Amino acid sequence: MTLVMKFGGTSVGSAAAMRETAVLIQNAQAEWGQVVAVASGMGSKPAKVTDLLLRGAHTAVSGDGETYKQEAERLRAIHYEAIDGLLAPEGERQSILAENEQFIRRFERLCQAVFVLGELTPRAMDAISGMGEQMSVRILAAYLRQTGVPAEAIDATELVVTDDNFQAASPLFDRTAEKVEARLRPLLQQNIVPIVTGFIGAAETGVATTLGRGGSDFSAAILGQALHANEVWIWTDVDGVMSADPRLVTDARSIPSLTFREVSELAYYGARVLHPKTIRPCVENNIPLRIKNTFHPDHPGTVVVPDADGVNGGIKAVTAINCLSLITVEGKGMIGVPGIAARTFGAVAQGNVSVLLISQASSEQSICFSTPDNTAEAVIASLEAEFAQELARRDIDRIWAQRDVSIVTIVGAGMRGTPGIAGRIFSALGQTGVNIIAIAQGSSECSISLVVDGEETGTAVARVHELI
Ligand code: ADP
Ligand code: ASP
Ligand code: MG
């Protein structure tokens, strides 16, 4: 039996956390036989290693030659404290310290180059931001060896082949499967636990890439698919997927079971607990997915199960994404004119901007959609260029953005069979004084998304949560 387990930033965030993680790996190996662990860069609150690395790069490119050096010191403090706390001086402590020091020096050299050139390419950003994972896996693997568990740290640059879309690279599954089979299978057959870096991969040319922020969950699913794993488990710092972000809603509850579609909607609409791309490799290969708490391992967490018809249960969870704009294209001359929607989204796509929600009034007098707030100006400029003639003829009156809005998404496959849910949501929000700016219902009817003013996000999420 093969189990792929992913440990998030907090699960490897300190010596104490790595000890818990090592116990979980050891127990899993005894139970499952073949275990692969995927780890994130160290990250406990308030400092997350990936953030420190990126801050070093961003400050360097803006002409600040000092901050990255301070970040390097913080990286040393975080990693050396873990190494000192875990590894015995007579064992691998010195060699792992030296390996980590090499990464931190490399970070400083890359930031220095960025500072001198005044240029930070997506490719350089990936080389820099992936180092957190490369450091953490080396510490965890050495600690496991010290406790008697055969383990080997592996950089996913050796396994996960991606395209060269830096910062959001997509895996090439066939090439990845070949590499995983050749590199990991022999280790598993010898009962060695591979401790693989999450988040990173490499293009065919060997250049390092990353899968996007939060992408270590996706790494686990990629390896799960390549190895035909029996299950994929995501270990994090909460008791599975909860009915709302526990930082926004204090009485959020753990959800024992969710369907793949429900969890996709939650992940896509902002529930950070799972990277949205994690789901597809699991669902397509029938691999059960669990989300569990490293610091509360006896809690069952959440299991994600195949979609089924006739589920009951109404609303299961509510989530939100902040910092969006709602962009509206409106005009009486749009009525009945074919191709306006296609041209609108064509113009948006040219700027490589993702659209999170679309809503069109039935009168066809307007189309509105939401995009990340920082893209609004560019999106409006490209729409104005696309529709220059229509604007001049006044067929389109206005293209405008409402800034700083949020999408609040309510999820539950059982909502389909339960009449009146939308009504309850709208009246609850109305009574609380939350103004709903736009509405969209997922075609699967397992989610309803509402656009609200950014300032009202917390109130809206809390009020909807009371209906669960
Ligand atoms: P990791 O480093 O383990 O991947 P993340 O910080 O990426 O951890 O994701 C876990 C965090 O996701 C939780 O600590 C919680 O604050 C946040 N979160 C947001 N929405 C939800 C939700 N619906 N259920 C559980 N956690 C959520
Ligand atoms: N360390 C990476 C990040 O912070 C990947 C992850 O944590 O999943 O985005
Ligand atoms: Mg995460």
Side-chain angles (χ1 to χ4, degrees):
M1 299 280 277
T2 308
L3 176 64
V4 177
M5 302 204 294
K6 175 260 173 174
F7 294 90
T10 31
S11 305
V12 293
S14 63
M18 284 212 202
R19 273 198 200 94
E20 305 279 341
T21 289
V23 171
L24 295 172
I25 293 173
Q26 194 165 13
N27 291 346
Q29 202 197 21
E31 205 172 311
W32 290 73
Q34 306 202 330
V35 172
V36 176
V38 173
S40 296
M42 292 180 69
S44 41
K45 289 129 197 155
K48 188 169 184 180
V49 163
T50 315
D51 292 333
L52 300 188
L53 293 163
L54 283 168
R55 191 171 324 128
H58 287 305
T59 51
V61 76
S62 63
D64 169 355
E66 287 308 312
T67 303
Y68 75 81
K69 294 178 189 157
Q70 290 159 13
E71 301 302 359
E73 285 312 315
R74 291 176 74 189
L75 292 171
R76 285 193 177 90
I78 293 168
H79 293 91
Y80 293 4
E81 193 181 313
I83 294 169
D84 286 345
L86 290 169
L87 302 179
E90 62 278 14
E92 291 189 73
R93 185 191 283 185
Q94 286 316 320
S95 62
I96 300 297
L97 265 175
E99 281 182 20
N100 270 251
E101 178 58 28
Q102 271 176 18
F103 281 110
I104 296 170
R105 292 221 180 121
R106 187 169 139 75
F107 161 73
E108 288 181 289
R109 280 200 309 277
L110 287 172
C111 287
Q112 153 107 53
V114 167
F115 170 69
V116 172
L117 291 170
E119 187 185 49
L120 177 59
T121 59
R123 173 177 166 158
M125 230 129 85
D126 279 359
I128 293 171
S129 63
M131 271 188 249
E133 276 68 11
Q134 294 180 293
M135 291 191 273
S136 66
V137 294
R138 285 165 170 75
I139 305 174
L140 181 59
Y143 177 65
L144 280 161
R145 289 192 290 270
Q146 179 177 295
T147 56
V149 180
E152 186 174 328
I154 297 178
D155 291 331
T157 44
E158 288 185 56
L159 305 173
V160 177
V161 184
T162 69
D163 60 16
D164 61 2
N165 183 23
F166 296 104
Q167 298 207 280
S170 295
L172 309 177
F173 278 102
D174 291 347
R175 288 287 293 123
T176 301
E178 287 165 19
K179 291 207 167 199
V180 168
E181 197 56 39
R183 181 75 172 92
L184 294 192
R185 192 69 73 187
L187 296 179
L188 292 173
Q189 281 161 353
Q190 296 166 64
N191 285 326
I192 297 171
V193 183
I195 312 290
V196 183
T197 55
F199 188 44
I200 62 177
E204 287 278 10
T205 51
V207 180
T209 56
T210 68
L211 306 173
R213 292 305 307 269
S216 296
D217 303 330
F218 186 27
S219 306
I222 295 168
L223 297 184
Q225 162 162 341
L227 286 164
H228 309 288
N230 297 87
E231 294 201 8
V232 170
W233 292 12
I234 306 291
W235 290 94
T236 183
D237 58 358
V238 285
D239 292 336
V241 181
M242 311 195 62
S243 50
D245 184 342
R247 284 166 310 166
L248 282 183
V249 177
T250 44
D251 61 348
R253 297 180 291 278
S254 165
I255 305 172
S257 155
L258 282 167
T259 66
F260 277 109
R261 190 166 280 158
E262 287 171 327
V263 88
S264 299
E265 297 285 326
L266 281 174
Y268 182 76
Y269 283 111
R272 200 183 61 186
V273 62
L274 195 66
H275 190 282
K277 289 188 180 167
T278 316
I279 295 144
R280 189 167 165 198
C282 296
V283 83
E284 286 184 350
N285 296 282
N286 266 322
I287 305 174
L289 177 66
R290 280 175 211 278
I291 298 103
K292 285 174 67 80
N293 190 344
T294 302
F295 308 99
H296 195 184
D298 294 334
H299 191 286
T302 298
V303 59
V304 185
V305 296
D307 300 310
D309 290 331
V311 214
N312 298 316
I315 304 174
K316 279 192 171 172
V318 52
T319 177
I321 311 186
N322 303 321
C323 301
L324 302 174
S325 272
L326 188 71
I327 296 177
T328 304
V329 180
E330 67 183 6
K332 295 189 186 56
M334 285 165 58
I335 299 176
V337 180
I340 298 262
R343 284 171 59 201
T344 300
F345 295 112
V348 178
Q350 268 171 20
N352 224 350
V353 172
S354 65
V355 172
L356 288 129
L357 168 150
I358 303 171
S359 165
Q360 182 175 28
S362 56
S363 67
E364 287 189 54
Q365 287 191 30
S366 71
I367 300 175
C368 67
F369 57 92
S370 64
T371 64
D373 211 17
N374 58 9
T375 63
E377 272 152 37
V379 168
I380 288 186
S382 65
L383 287 170
E384 282 173 349
E386 173 67 35
F387 291 118
Q389 283 187 6
E390 285 79 359
L391 284 161
R393 286 201 304 260
R394 304 293 306 272
D395 287 344
I396 290 178
D397 298 320
R398 240 178 15 135
I399 300 173
W400 57 289
Q402 179 160 357
R403 308 294 297 259
D404 190 23
V405 300
S406 298
I407 299 180
V408 173
T409 301
I410 298 110
V411 174
M415 295 197 303
R416 184 170 15 195
T418 320
I421 293 217
R424 278 173 61 213
I425 295 168
F426 297 146
S427 49
L429 291 177
Q431 280 156 13
T432 321
V434 173
N435 180 34
I436 299 170
I437 305 167
I439 304 167
Q441 179 167 37
S443 51
S444 60
E445 282 186 60
C446 112
S447 73
I448 299 174
S449 291
L450 314 172
V451 178
V452 301
D453 191 280
E455 283 185 357
E456 294 184 331
T457 318
T459 317
V461 168
R463 185 66 190 92
V464 171
H465 191 260
E466 287 169 13
L467 302 176
I468 299 179

